[in-house]
PDB file of all heavy atoms in Angstrom:
ATOM      1  N   LEU A 620      16.358  38.121   8.359  1.00  0.00           N
ATOM      2  CA  LEU A 620      15.747  37.803   7.036  1.00  0.00           C
ATOM      3  C   LEU A 620      15.860  36.383   6.583  1.00  0.00           C
ATOM      4  O   LEU A 620      15.246  35.991   5.562  1.00  0.00           O
ATOM      5  CB  LEU A 620      16.319  38.718   5.923  1.00  0.00           C
ATOM      6  CG  LEU A 620      15.993  40.226   6.095  1.00  0.00           C
ATOM      7  CD1 LEU A 620      16.763  40.965   4.931  1.00  0.00           C
ATOM      8  CD2 LEU A 620      14.479  40.453   5.940  1.00  0.00           C
ATOM      9  N   VAL A 621      16.530  35.523   7.343  1.00  0.00           N
ATOM     10  CA  VAL A 621      16.767  34.147   6.917  1.00  0.00           C
ATOM     11  C   VAL A 621      15.437  33.402   6.726  1.00  0.00           C
ATOM     12  O   VAL A 621      15.246  32.791   5.716  1.00  0.00           O
ATOM     13  CB  VAL A 621      17.684  33.432   7.865  1.00  0.00           C
ATOM     14  CG1 VAL A 621      17.574  31.917   7.765  1.00  0.00           C
ATOM     15  CG2 VAL A 621      19.116  33.798   7.707  1.00  0.00           C
ATOM     16  N   PRO A 622      14.525  33.387   7.681  1.00  0.00           N
ATOM     17  CA  PRO A 622      13.258  32.668   7.439  1.00  0.00           C
ATOM     18  C   PRO A 622      12.508  33.139   6.211  1.00  0.00           C
ATOM     19  O   PRO A 622      11.945  32.339   5.517  1.00  0.00           O
ATOM     20  CB  PRO A 622      12.453  32.954   8.767  1.00  0.00           C
ATOM     21  CG  PRO A 622      13.474  33.261   9.799  1.00  0.00           C
ATOM     22  CD  PRO A 622      14.533  34.000   9.067  1.00  0.00           C
ATOM     23  N   GLN A 623      12.534  34.452   5.952  1.00  0.00           N
ATOM     24  CA  GLN A 623      11.795  34.946   4.790  1.00  0.00           C
ATOM     25  C   GLN A 623      12.461  34.471   3.501  1.00  0.00           C
ATOM     26  O   GLN A 623      11.800  34.177   2.525  1.00  0.00           O
ATOM     27  CB  GLN A 623      11.776  36.478   4.860  1.00  0.00           C
ATOM     28  CG  GLN A 623      11.033  37.133   3.678  1.00  0.00           C
ATOM     29  CD  GLN A 623       9.542  36.716   3.693  1.00  0.00           C
ATOM     30  OE1 GLN A 623       8.847  36.851   4.719  1.00  0.00           O
ATOM     31  NE2 GLN A 623       9.067  36.300   2.531  1.00  0.00           N
ATOM     32  N   ARG A 624      13.765  34.335   3.517  1.00  0.00           N
ATOM     33  CA  ARG A 624      14.447  33.868   2.306  1.00  0.00           C
ATOM     34  C   ARG A 624      14.113  32.385   2.066  1.00  0.00           C
ATOM     35  O   ARG A 624      13.973  31.983   0.897  1.00  0.00           O
ATOM     36  CB  ARG A 624      15.984  34.074   2.495  1.00  0.00           C
ATOM     37  CG  ARG A 624      16.386  35.499   2.511  1.00  0.00           C
ATOM     38  CD  ARG A 624      17.914  35.663   2.492  1.00  0.00           C
ATOM     39  NE  ARG A 624      18.503  35.234   1.231  1.00  0.00           N
ATOM     40  CZ  ARG A 624      19.766  35.074   1.022  1.00  0.00           C
ATOM     41  NH1 ARG A 624      20.596  35.460   2.009  1.00  0.00           N
ATOM     42  NH2 ARG A 624      20.268  34.690  -0.087  1.00  0.00           N
ATOM     43  N   TYR A 625      13.912  31.629   3.082  1.00  0.00           N
ATOM     44  CA  TYR A 625      13.468  30.248   2.919  1.00  0.00           C
ATOM     45  C   TYR A 625      12.075  30.195   2.293  1.00  0.00           C
ATOM     46  O   TYR A 625      11.773  29.425   1.359  1.00  0.00           O
ATOM     47  CB  TYR A 625      13.501  29.489   4.242  1.00  0.00           C
ATOM     48  CG  TYR A 625      14.813  28.834   4.566  1.00  0.00           C
ATOM     49  CD1 TYR A 625      15.916  29.579   4.954  1.00  0.00           C
ATOM     50  CD2 TYR A 625      14.991  27.444   4.438  1.00  0.00           C
ATOM     51  CE1 TYR A 625      17.131  28.984   5.307  1.00  0.00           C
ATOM     52  CE2 TYR A 625      16.169  26.841   4.766  1.00  0.00           C
ATOM     53  CZ  TYR A 625      17.283  27.613   5.220  1.00  0.00           C
ATOM     54  OH  TYR A 625      18.444  27.048   5.446  1.00  0.00           O
ATOM     55  N   LEU A 626      11.277  31.070   2.876  1.00  0.00           N
ATOM     56  CA  LEU A 626       9.892  31.112   2.396  1.00  0.00           C
ATOM     57  C   LEU A 626       9.839  31.543   0.903  1.00  0.00           C
ATOM     58  O   LEU A 626       9.078  30.987   0.115  1.00  0.00           O
ATOM     59  CB  LEU A 626       8.997  32.087   3.256  1.00  0.00           C
ATOM     60  CG  LEU A 626       7.563  32.309   2.850  1.00  0.00           C
ATOM     61  CD1 LEU A 626       6.814  30.999   3.076  1.00  0.00           C
ATOM     62  CD2 LEU A 626       6.943  33.426   3.738  1.00  0.00           C
ATOM     63  N   THR A 627      10.602  32.541   0.576  1.00  0.00           N
ATOM     64  CA  THR A 627      10.702  33.009  -0.810  1.00  0.00           C
ATOM     65  C   THR A 627      11.115  31.842  -1.812  1.00  0.00           C
ATOM     66  O   THR A 627      10.550  31.667  -2.825  1.00  0.00           O
ATOM     67  CB  THR A 627      11.694  34.145  -0.921  1.00  0.00           C
ATOM     68  OG1 THR A 627      11.120  35.279  -0.127  1.00  0.00           O
ATOM     69  CG2 THR A 627      11.715  34.660  -2.381  1.00  0.00           C
ATOM     70  N   TYR A 628      12.181  31.167  -1.320  1.00  0.00           N
ATOM     71  CA  TYR A 628      12.703  30.088  -2.183  1.00  0.00           C
ATOM     72  C   TYR A 628      11.707  28.971  -2.443  1.00  0.00           C
ATOM     73  O   TYR A 628      11.488  28.508  -3.486  1.00  0.00           O
ATOM     74  CB  TYR A 628      13.973  29.557  -1.500  1.00  0.00           C
ATOM     75  CG  TYR A 628      14.548  28.314  -2.193  1.00  0.00           C
ATOM     76  CD1 TYR A 628      15.260  28.452  -3.372  1.00  0.00           C
ATOM     77  CD2 TYR A 628      14.385  27.036  -1.686  1.00  0.00           C
ATOM     78  CE1 TYR A 628      15.803  27.377  -4.024  1.00  0.00           C
ATOM     79  CE2 TYR A 628      14.903  25.931  -2.316  1.00  0.00           C
ATOM     80  CZ  TYR A 628      15.604  26.096  -3.478  1.00  0.00           C
ATOM     81  OH  TYR A 628      16.106  24.971  -4.110  1.00  0.00           O
TER      82      TYR A 628
END
Side-chain angles (χ1 to χ4, degrees):
L620 292 177
V621 163
Q623 183 61 50
R624 292 186 67 186
Y625 273 74
L626 181 63
T627 299
Y628 174 76

